[in-house]
Amino acid sequence: LNFFLDGYRNSGQNEAVQHGVSLGLGLVGMATNDGNVYSQLKDTLFNNADSAIIGEAAAYGMGLVLAGSGNEDAVEEMMSHAADSNHEKIIRALGISLALLMYGKESHADGLIEQMCASKDSTIRYGAMFTIGCAYAGTASTFATQKLLKFAVSDVSDDVKRAALMNMGFLCFRNQAMLPGLVKYLAESYNPHLRYGA
């Protein structure tokens, strides 16, 4: 951790170095729920609002550090920043980070899932698909399966459709036998994004 924290101080505002340092901090602090590391990454994200390169990595790092924590303050901060950001890369990274926060939380993530699914921003809905996949990973939950299949066939965004099908794999990794039947017809779709996801 100290090595990477020193990396911020020694980066000389080099975007590529700060990107790597942010990802490194996230990996080294993964699932530790370390408030100091999270704050450092959050400050990096907020202080570099104009840099999608630094902001994207800092956002991923935030999610990695708080993986599985369900931290409500962090959820609020990330949702708020995603709504204010103009950079698709940062919004996508925050969406994936929200998914990481909700890893294994199952029904405790339902409020956030509904909020993200209702967003007009397809990048937030993309993150919602991963939030469903992470929150219900390995459970083969009927609720989560129906939600993902609904978005796979009805969302207007191909990115969201692809993410919905990809996350069927997270849901069913303990019940592999059920997955082919669920995605069989979508795997034969004319839409290449659906075929890719399946």
Side-chain angles (χ1 to χ4, degrees), residues 80-137:
S80 174
H81 193 74
D84 295 340
S85 180
N86 298 322
H87 294 290
E88 188 178 332
K89 280 184 175 182
I90 293 174
I91 298 168
R92 180 175 286 111
L94 287 166
I96 299 296
S97 287
L98 286 163
L100 290 170
L101 254 72
M102 290 300 162
Y103 177 76
K105 292 299 179 192
E106 297 185 30
S107 61
H108 295 293
D110 289 352
L112 175 63
I113 289 168
E114 291 304 324
Q115 186 181 353
M116 293 175 78
C117 285
S119 176
K120 290 183 172 74
D121 186 339
S122 64
T123 310
I124 296 290
R125 294 196 310 278
Y126 174 91
M129 300 305 105
F130 282 92
T131 305
I132 295 168
C134 283
Y136 288 93

Short mmCIF file of all heavy atoms in Angstrom, two decimals, residues 80-137:
data_model
loop_
_atom_site.label_atom_id
_atom_site.label_comp_id
_atom_site.label_asym_id
_atom_site.label_seq_id
_atom_site.Cartn_x
_atom_site.Cartn_y
_atom_site.Cartn_z
N SER A 80 -23.87 9.47 -7.26
CA SER A 80 -23.89 10.92 -7.44
C SER A 80 -22.82 11.36 -8.44
O SER A 80 -23.09 12.16 -9.34
CB SER A 80 -23.67 11.60 -6.09
OG SER A 80 -23.55 12.98 -6.24
N HIS A 81 -21.62 10.81 -8.30
CA HIS A 81 -20.54 11.20 -9.21
C HIS A 81 -20.82 10.71 -10.64
O HIS A 81 -20.53 11.41 -11.60
CB HIS A 81 -19.19 10.67 -8.72
CG HIS A 81 -18.03 11.31 -9.43
ND1 HIS A 81 -17.62 12.60 -9.18
CD2 HIS A 81 -17.21 10.85 -10.41
CE1 HIS A 81 -16.60 12.90 -9.96
NE2 HIS A 81 -16.33 11.85 -10.72
N ALA A 82 -21.40 9.52 -10.76
CA ALA A 82 -21.74 9.00 -12.09
C ALA A 82 -22.76 9.91 -12.77
O ALA A 82 -22.67 10.16 -13.98
CB ALA A 82 -22.30 7.58 -11.98
N ALA A 83 -23.70 10.44 -12.00
CA ALA A 83 -24.71 11.33 -12.56
C ALA A 83 -24.10 12.66 -13.01
O ALA A 83 -24.57 13.28 -13.97
CB ALA A 83 -25.81 11.59 -11.53
N ASP A 84 -23.03 13.08 -12.34
CA ASP A 84 -22.40 14.37 -12.65
C ASP A 84 -21.32 14.28 -13.72
O ASP A 84 -20.92 15.29 -14.29
CB ASP A 84 -21.76 14.97 -11.38
CG ASP A 84 -22.81 15.33 -10.34
OD1 ASP A 84 -23.99 15.48 -10.70
OD2 ASP A 84 -22.44 15.45 -9.15
N SER A 85 -20.82 13.08 -13.98
CA SER A 85 -19.67 12.93 -14.88
C SER A 85 -20.08 13.00 -16.34
O SER A 85 -21.17 12.57 -16.72
CB SER A 85 -18.96 11.60 -14.62
OG SER A 85 -17.85 11.46 -15.49
N ASN A 86 -19.18 13.53 -17.16
CA ASN A 86 -19.40 13.59 -18.61
C ASN A 86 -18.63 12.50 -19.35
O ASN A 86 -18.74 12.38 -20.55
CB ASN A 86 -18.96 14.95 -19.16
CG ASN A 86 -19.76 16.09 -18.57
OD1 ASN A 86 -20.95 15.95 -18.35
ND2 ASN A 86 -19.10 17.20 -18.29
N HIS A 87 -17.83 11.74 -18.61
CA HIS A 87 -16.96 10.74 -19.24
C HIS A 87 -17.59 9.35 -19.15
O HIS A 87 -17.78 8.82 -18.06
CB HIS A 87 -15.58 10.72 -18.58
CG HIS A 87 -14.79 11.97 -18.78
ND1 HIS A 87 -14.27 12.32 -20.00
CD2 HIS A 87 -14.44 12.95 -17.93
CE1 HIS A 87 -13.62 13.47 -19.89
NE2 HIS A 87 -13.72 13.87 -18.63
N GLU A 88 -17.88 8.76 -20.30
CA GLU A 88 -18.48 7.42 -20.32
C GLU A 88 -17.59 6.39 -19.62
O GLU A 88 -18.08 5.51 -18.93
CB GLU A 88 -18.74 6.99 -21.76
CG GLU A 88 -19.53 5.71 -21.86
CD GLU A 88 -19.85 5.30 -23.29
OE1 GLU A 88 -19.95 6.19 -24.16
OE2 GLU A 88 -19.99 4.09 -23.52
N LYS A 89 -16.26 6.52 -19.78
CA LYS A 89 -15.34 5.57 -19.14
C LYS A 89 -15.48 5.61 -17.62
O LYS A 89 -15.45 4.58 -16.95
CB LYS A 89 -13.89 5.89 -19.51
CG LYS A 89 -13.46 5.40 -20.86
CD LYS A 89 -11.99 5.70 -21.07
CE LYS A 89 -11.51 5.11 -22.38
NZ LYS A 89 -10.08 5.34 -22.59
N ILE A 90 -15.60 6.82 -17.07
CA ILE A 90 -15.73 6.96 -15.62
C ILE A 90 -17.08 6.41 -15.16
O ILE A 90 -17.17 5.70 -14.16
CB ILE A 90 -15.54 8.43 -15.19
CG1 ILE A 90 -14.09 8.86 -15.43
CG2 ILE A 90 -15.92 8.63 -13.72
CD1 ILE A 90 -13.80 10.33 -15.18
N ILE A 91 -18.14 6.71 -15.89
CA ILE A 91 -19.48 6.24 -15.53
C ILE A 91 -19.50 4.71 -15.55
O ILE A 91 -20.02 4.06 -14.64
CB ILE A 91 -20.55 6.82 -16.47
CG1 ILE A 91 -20.60 8.35 -16.34
CG2 ILE A 91 -21.93 6.23 -16.16
CD1 ILE A 91 -21.41 9.05 -17.41
N ARG A 92 -18.92 4.11 -16.60
CA ARG A 92 -18.87 2.64 -16.69
C ARG A 92 -18.08 2.05 -15.52
O ARG A 92 -18.50 1.07 -14.90
CB ARG A 92 -18.27 2.19 -18.02
CG ARG A 92 -18.21 0.66 -18.15
CD ARG A 92 -17.74 0.18 -19.51
NE ARG A 92 -18.79 0.37 -20.49
CZ ARG A 92 -18.74 1.25 -21.49
NH1 ARG A 92 -17.68 2.00 -21.66
NH2 ARG A 92 -19.74 1.36 -22.33
N ALA A 93 -16.94 2.65 -15.21
CA ALA A 93 -16.11 2.15 -14.11
C ALA A 93 -16.85 2.25 -12.77
O ALA A 93 -16.77 1.34 -11.94
CB ALA A 93 -14.79 2.93 -14.04
N LEU A 94 -17.58 3.33 -12.57
CA LEU A 94 -18.37 3.48 -11.33
C LEU A 94 -19.48 2.43 -11.27
O LEU A 94 -19.77 1.88 -10.21
CB LEU A 94 -18.94 4.89 -11.22
CG LEU A 94 -17.92 5.98 -10.88
CD1 LEU A 94 -18.49 7.37 -11.12
CD2 LEU A 94 -17.44 5.84 -9.43
N GLY A 95 -20.09 2.15 -12.43
CA GLY A 95 -21.14 1.12 -12.48
C GLY A 95 -20.60 -0.25 -12.10
O GLY A 95 -21.22 -1.00 -11.33
N ILE A 96 -19.42 -0.59 -12.62
CA ILE A 96 -18.80 -1.88 -12.29
C ILE A 96 -18.38 -1.89 -10.81
O ILE A 96 -18.50 -2.91 -10.12
CB ILE A 96 -17.59 -2.16 -13.20
CG1 ILE A 96 -18.01 -2.23 -14.66
CG2 ILE A 96 -16.86 -3.44 -12.78
CD1 ILE A 96 -18.95 -3.35 -15.03
N SER A 97 -17.91 -0.75 -10.32
CA SER A 97 -17.51 -0.66 -8.90
C SER A 97 -18.71 -0.85 -7.98
O SER A 97 -18.60 -1.48 -6.93
CB SER A 97 -16.83 0.68 -8.63
OG SER A 97 -15.55 0.67 -9.20
N LEU A 98 -19.85 -0.31 -8.37
CA LEU A 98 -21.07 -0.52 -7.58
C LEU A 98 -21.42 -2.01 -7.54
O LEU A 98 -21.83 -2.54 -6.51
CB LEU A 98 -22.23 0.30 -8.16
CG LEU A 98 -22.15 1.80 -7.90
CD1 LEU A 98 -23.07 2.57 -8.85
CD2 LEU A 98 -22.50 2.11 -6.45
N ALA A 99 -21.21 -2.67 -8.67
CA ALA A 99 -21.44 -4.12 -8.72
C ALA A 99 -20.52 -4.84 -7.74
O ALA A 99 -20.95 -5.74 -7.00
CB ALA A 99 -21.22 -4.64 -10.15
N LEU A 100 -19.23 -4.45 -7.73
CA LEU A 100 -18.28 -5.08 -6.81
C LEU A 100 -18.68 -4.86 -5.35
O LEU A 100 -18.56 -5.77 -4.53
CB LEU A 100 -16.87 -4.54 -7.06
CG LEU A 100 -16.21 -4.95 -8.37
CD1 LEU A 100 -14.93 -4.14 -8.61
CD2 LEU A 100 -15.91 -6.44 -8.37
N LEU A 101 -19.15 -3.66 -5.03
CA LEU A 101 -19.59 -3.36 -3.66
C LEU A 101 -20.70 -4.32 -3.22
O LEU A 101 -20.79 -4.68 -2.05
CB LEU A 101 -20.12 -1.93 -3.57
CG LEU A 101 -19.25 -0.90 -2.89
CD1 LEU A 101 -18.06 -0.56 -3.75
CD2 LEU A 101 -20.03 0.35 -2.59
N MET A 102 -21.55 -4.71 -4.16
CA MET A 102 -22.71 -5.53 -3.84
C MET A 102 -22.46 -7.02 -4.00
O MET A 102 -23.38 -7.82 -3.92
CB MET A 102 -23.89 -5.11 -4.72
CG MET A 102 -24.42 -3.75 -4.37
SD MET A 102 -25.00 -3.73 -2.65
CE MET A 102 -25.04 -1.98 -2.33
N TYR A 103 -21.19 -7.40 -4.19
CA TYR A 103 -20.88 -8.82 -4.37
C TYR A 103 -21.41 -9.65 -3.19
O TYR A 103 -21.13 -9.35 -2.03
CB TYR A 103 -19.37 -9.03 -4.49
CG TYR A 103 -19.01 -10.49 -4.60
CD1 TYR A 103 -19.22 -11.18 -5.79
CD2 TYR A 103 -18.53 -11.20 -3.50
CE1 TYR A 103 -18.94 -12.53 -5.89
CE2 TYR A 103 -18.26 -12.55 -3.60
CZ TYR A 103 -18.46 -13.22 -4.79
OH TYR A 103 -18.21 -14.56 -4.88
N GLY A 104 -22.24 -10.64 -3.52
CA GLY A 104 -22.77 -11.55 -2.51
C GLY A 104 -23.87 -10.99 -1.63
O GLY A 104 -24.32 -11.65 -0.69
N LYS A 105 -24.34 -9.79 -1.91
CA LYS A 105 -25.33 -9.14 -1.03
C LYS A 105 -26.76 -9.56 -1.33
O LYS A 105 -27.68 -9.24 -0.57
CB LYS A 105 -25.21 -7.61 -1.12
CG LYS A 105 -23.92 -7.07 -0.53
CD LYS A 105 -23.83 -7.39 0.93
CE LYS A 105 -22.55 -6.90 1.57
NZ LYS A 105 -22.34 -7.46 2.90
N GLU A 106 -26.99 -10.24 -2.43
CA GLU A 106 -28.31 -10.73 -2.83
C GLU A 106 -29.39 -9.66 -2.68
O GLU A 106 -29.27 -8.58 -3.22
CB GLU A 106 -28.64 -12.04 -2.11
CG GLU A 106 -27.67 -13.16 -2.47
CD GLU A 106 -28.03 -14.49 -1.88
OE1 GLU A 106 -29.24 -14.77 -1.68
OE2 GLU A 106 -27.10 -15.29 -1.64
N SER A 107 -30.44 -9.93 -1.89
CA SER A 107 -31.59 -9.02 -1.83
C SER A 107 -31.25 -7.65 -1.25
O SER A 107 -31.97 -6.68 -1.47
CB SER A 107 -32.74 -9.64 -1.04
OG SER A 107 -32.33 -9.90 0.29
N HIS A 108 -30.14 -7.54 -0.51
CA HIS A 108 -29.73 -6.23 0.02
C HIS A 108 -29.34 -5.28 -1.10
O HIS A 108 -29.29 -4.06 -0.89
CB HIS A 108 -28.57 -6.38 1.01
CG HIS A 108 -28.93 -7.15 2.24
ND1 HIS A 108 -29.82 -6.69 3.18
CD2 HIS A 108 -28.54 -8.38 2.67
CE1 HIS A 108 -29.96 -7.59 4.15
NE2 HIS A 108 -29.20 -8.62 3.86
N ALA A 109 -29.07 -5.82 -2.27
CA ALA A 109 -28.69 -4.98 -3.41
C ALA A 109 -29.90 -4.58 -4.25
O ALA A 109 -29.76 -3.77 -5.18
CB ALA A 109 -27.68 -5.73 -4.29
N ASP A 110 -31.07 -5.09 -3.94
CA ASP A 110 -32.23 -4.89 -4.82
C ASP A 110 -32.60 -3.42 -5.02
O ASP A 110 -32.97 -3.01 -6.12
CB ASP A 110 -33.45 -5.67 -4.30
CG ASP A 110 -33.29 -7.17 -4.49
OD1 ASP A 110 -32.32 -7.59 -5.14
OD2 ASP A 110 -34.15 -7.92 -3.97
N GLY A 111 -32.50 -2.61 -3.96
CA GLY A 111 -32.82 -1.19 -4.09
C GLY A 111 -31.90 -0.50 -5.08
O GLY A 111 -32.36 0.26 -5.96
N LEU A 112 -30.59 -0.77 -4.98
CA LEU A 112 -29.63 -0.18 -5.91
C LEU A 112 -29.86 -0.71 -7.32
O LEU A 112 -29.81 0.05 -8.29
CB LEU A 112 -28.20 -0.49 -5.45
CG LEU A 112 -27.08 -0.03 -6.41
CD1 LEU A 112 -27.10 1.50 -6.55
CD2 LEU A 112 -25.73 -0.51 -5.91
N ILE A 113 -30.15 -2.00 -7.43
CA ILE A 113 -30.40 -2.60 -8.75
C ILE A 113 -31.57 -1.90 -9.43
O ILE A 113 -31.49 -1.53 -10.59
CB ILE A 113 -30.64 -4.12 -8.62
CG1 ILE A 113 -29.33 -4.84 -8.27
CG2 ILE A 113 -31.24 -4.69 -9.91
CD1 ILE A 113 -29.50 -6.29 -7.83
N GLU A 114 -32.66 -1.70 -8.69
CA GLU A 114 -33.84 -1.03 -9.26
C GLU A 114 -33.50 0.39 -9.70
O GLU A 114 -33.90 0.84 -10.77
CB GLU A 114 -35.00 -1.00 -8.25
CG GLU A 114 -35.60 -2.36 -7.97
CD GLU A 114 -36.10 -3.09 -9.21
OE1 GLU A 114 -36.62 -2.43 -10.14
OE2 GLU A 114 -35.94 -4.32 -9.26
N GLN A 115 -32.74 1.10 -8.86
CA GLN A 115 -32.35 2.47 -9.17
C GLN A 115 -31.50 2.52 -10.45
O GLN A 115 -31.73 3.36 -11.32
CB GLN A 115 -31.57 3.06 -7.99
CG GLN A 115 -31.23 4.52 -8.13
CD GLN A 115 -30.42 5.05 -6.94
OE1 GLN A 115 -30.21 4.36 -5.93
NE2 GLN A 115 -29.93 6.26 -7.05
N MET A 116 -30.55 1.60 -10.56
CA MET A 116 -29.67 1.58 -11.73
C MET A 116 -30.42 1.13 -12.99
O MET A 116 -30.22 1.69 -14.07
CB MET A 116 -28.47 0.67 -11.48
CG MET A 116 -27.52 1.20 -10.40
SD MET A 116 -26.19 0.04 -10.01
CE MET A 116 -25.07 0.31 -11.40
N CYS A 117 -31.31 0.16 -12.84
CA CYS A 117 -32.08 -0.34 -13.98
C CYS A 117 -33.02 0.72 -14.55
O CYS A 117 -33.34 0.72 -15.73
CB CYS A 117 -32.88 -1.58 -13.60
SG CYS A 117 -31.90 -3.08 -13.44
N ALA A 118 -33.47 1.62 -13.68
CA ALA A 118 -34.42 2.66 -14.10
C ALA A 118 -33.72 3.87 -14.74
O ALA A 118 -34.39 4.77 -15.26
CB ALA A 118 -35.24 3.12 -12.91
N SER A 119 -32.40 3.88 -14.75
CA SER A 119 -31.66 5.03 -15.28
C SER A 119 -31.88 5.20 -16.78
O SER A 119 -31.96 4.22 -17.52
CB SER A 119 -30.16 4.86 -14.99
OG SER A 119 -29.44 5.92 -15.58
N LYS A 120 -31.93 6.46 -17.21
CA LYS A 120 -32.01 6.75 -18.64
C LYS A 120 -30.66 6.55 -19.32
O LYS A 120 -30.57 6.41 -20.53
CB LYS A 120 -32.48 8.19 -18.86
CG LYS A 120 -33.93 8.44 -18.50
CD LYS A 120 -34.33 9.88 -18.82
CE LYS A 120 -35.80 10.11 -18.65
NZ LYS A 120 -36.23 10.18 -17.25
N ASP A 121 -29.59 6.54 -18.53
CA ASP A 121 -28.23 6.38 -19.04
C ASP A 121 -27.93 4.89 -19.22
O ASP A 121 -27.90 4.13 -18.26
CB ASP A 121 -27.24 7.00 -18.04
CG ASP A 121 -25.81 7.02 -18.56
OD1 ASP A 121 -25.49 6.22 -19.47
OD2 ASP A 121 -25.01 7.82 -18.06
N SER A 122 -27.70 4.49 -20.46
CA SER A 122 -27.47 3.07 -20.74
C SER A 122 -26.19 2.56 -20.07
O SER A 122 -26.08 1.37 -19.77
CB SER A 122 -27.41 2.81 -22.25
OG SER A 122 -26.30 3.48 -22.82
N THR A 123 -25.23 3.44 -19.81
CA THR A 123 -24.00 3.02 -19.16
C THR A 123 -24.27 2.61 -17.70
O THR A 123 -23.66 1.67 -17.19
CB THR A 123 -22.93 4.13 -19.22
OG1 THR A 123 -22.83 4.58 -20.57
CG2 THR A 123 -21.57 3.63 -18.78
N ILE A 124 -25.21 3.30 -17.05
CA ILE A 124 -25.60 2.93 -15.68
C ILE A 124 -26.37 1.61 -15.71
O ILE A 124 -26.17 0.73 -14.86
CB ILE A 124 -26.47 4.03 -15.03
CG1 ILE A 124 -25.67 5.32 -14.85
CG2 ILE A 124 -27.04 3.56 -13.69
CD1 ILE A 124 -24.59 5.27 -13.81
N ARG A 125 -27.24 1.43 -16.72
CA ARG A 125 -27.97 0.16 -16.83
C ARG A 125 -27.00 -1.00 -17.11
O ARG A 125 -27.20 -2.11 -16.62
CB ARG A 125 -29.05 0.23 -17.93
CG ARG A 125 -30.17 1.21 -17.62
CD ARG A 125 -31.41 1.01 -18.49
NE ARG A 125 -31.15 0.94 -19.92
CZ ARG A 125 -30.98 1.98 -20.72
NH1 ARG A 125 -31.04 3.22 -20.23
NH2 ARG A 125 -30.77 1.82 -22.02
N TYR A 126 -25.94 -0.72 -17.87
CA TYR A 126 -24.88 -1.71 -18.11
C TYR A 126 -24.30 -2.15 -16.76
O TYR A 126 -24.15 -3.34 -16.49
CB TYR A 126 -23.83 -1.07 -19.01
CG TYR A 126 -22.57 -1.87 -19.25
CD1 TYR A 126 -22.49 -2.74 -20.34
CD2 TYR A 126 -21.45 -1.74 -18.44
CE1 TYR A 126 -21.33 -3.45 -20.60
CE2 TYR A 126 -20.29 -2.45 -18.69
CZ TYR A 126 -20.23 -3.30 -19.77
OH TYR A 126 -19.08 -4.01 -20.01
N GLY A 127 -23.99 -1.18 -15.90
CA GLY A 127 -23.49 -1.48 -14.56
C GLY A 127 -24.50 -2.26 -13.73
O GLY A 127 -24.14 -3.12 -12.93
N ALA A 128 -25.79 -1.97 -13.96
CA ALA A 128 -26.85 -2.68 -13.23
C ALA A 128 -26.82 -4.17 -13.52
O ALA A 128 -27.06 -5.00 -12.63
CB ALA A 128 -28.21 -2.10 -13.58
N MET A 129 -26.51 -4.54 -14.77
CA MET A 129 -26.46 -5.96 -15.14
C MET A 129 -25.35 -6.66 -14.35
O MET A 129 -25.52 -7.78 -13.86
CB MET A 129 -26.24 -6.13 -16.64
CG MET A 129 -27.32 -5.51 -17.54
SD MET A 129 -29.01 -6.04 -17.18
CE MET A 129 -29.69 -4.60 -16.36
N PHE A 130 -24.22 -5.97 -14.20
CA PHE A 130 -23.12 -6.56 -13.42
C PHE A 130 -23.44 -6.56 -11.93
O PHE A 130 -23.00 -7.45 -11.20
CB PHE A 130 -21.80 -5.81 -13.70
CG PHE A 130 -21.19 -6.20 -15.01
CD1 PHE A 130 -21.46 -5.50 -16.16
CD2 PHE A 130 -20.34 -7.31 -15.10
CE1 PHE A 130 -20.92 -5.87 -17.38
CE2 PHE A 130 -19.78 -7.69 -16.31
CZ PHE A 130 -20.07 -6.97 -17.46
N THR A 131 -24.22 -5.59 -11.49
CA THR A 131 -24.63 -5.55 -10.08
C THR A 131 -25.52 -6.75 -9.77
O THR A 131 -25.37 -7.41 -8.73
CB THR A 131 -25.35 -4.22 -9.75
OG1 THR A 131 -24.49 -3.13 -10.10
CG2 THR A 131 -25.68 -4.13 -8.27
N ILE A 132 -26.42 -7.07 -10.69
CA ILE A 132 -27.25 -8.27 -10.52
C ILE A 132 -26.36 -9.51 -10.49
O ILE A 132 -26.49 -10.37 -9.61
CB ILE A 132 -28.30 -8.38 -11.67
CG1 ILE A 132 -29.29 -7.22 -11.62
CG2 ILE A 132 -29.04 -9.72 -11.58
CD1 ILE A 132 -30.17 -7.08 -12.86
N GLY A 133 -25.44 -9.59 -11.44
CA GLY A 133 -24.55 -10.75 -11.53
C GLY A 133 -23.69 -10.93 -10.29
O GLY A 133 -23.50 -12.05 -9.80
N CYS A 134 -23.16 -9.83 -9.76
CA CYS A 134 -22.30 -9.91 -8.57
C CYS A 134 -23.12 -10.18 -7.30
O CYS A 134 -22.74 -11.01 -6.48
CB CYS A 134 -21.51 -8.61 -8.39
SG CYS A 134 -20.11 -8.46 -9.51
N ALA A 135 -24.23 -9.48 -7.15
CA ALA A 135 -25.04 -9.63 -5.93
C ALA A 135 -25.57 -11.05 -5.78
O ALA A 135 -25.64 -11.58 -4.68
CB ALA A 135 -26.19 -8.62 -5.93
N TYR A 136 -25.93 -11.65 -6.91
CA TYR A 136 -26.54 -12.99 -6.88
C TYR A 136 -25.61 -14.06 -7.46
O TYR A 136 -26.07 -15.12 -7.87
CB TYR A 136 -27.86 -12.97 -7.64
CG TYR A 136 -28.96 -12.22 -6.92
CD1 TYR A 136 -29.19 -10.87 -7.16
CD2 TYR A 136 -29.78 -12.86 -5.98
CE1 TYR A 136 -30.20 -10.17 -6.49
CE2 TYR A 136 -30.78 -12.19 -5.32
CZ TYR A 136 -30.99 -10.84 -5.57
OH TYR A 136 -31.99 -10.16 -4.91
N ALA A 137 -24.32 -13.80 -7.46
CA ALA A 137 -23.35 -14.74 -8.06
C ALA A 137 -23.49 -16.14 -7.46
O ALA A 137 -23.50 -16.31 -6.25
CB ALA A 137 -21.93 -14.23 -7.86
#
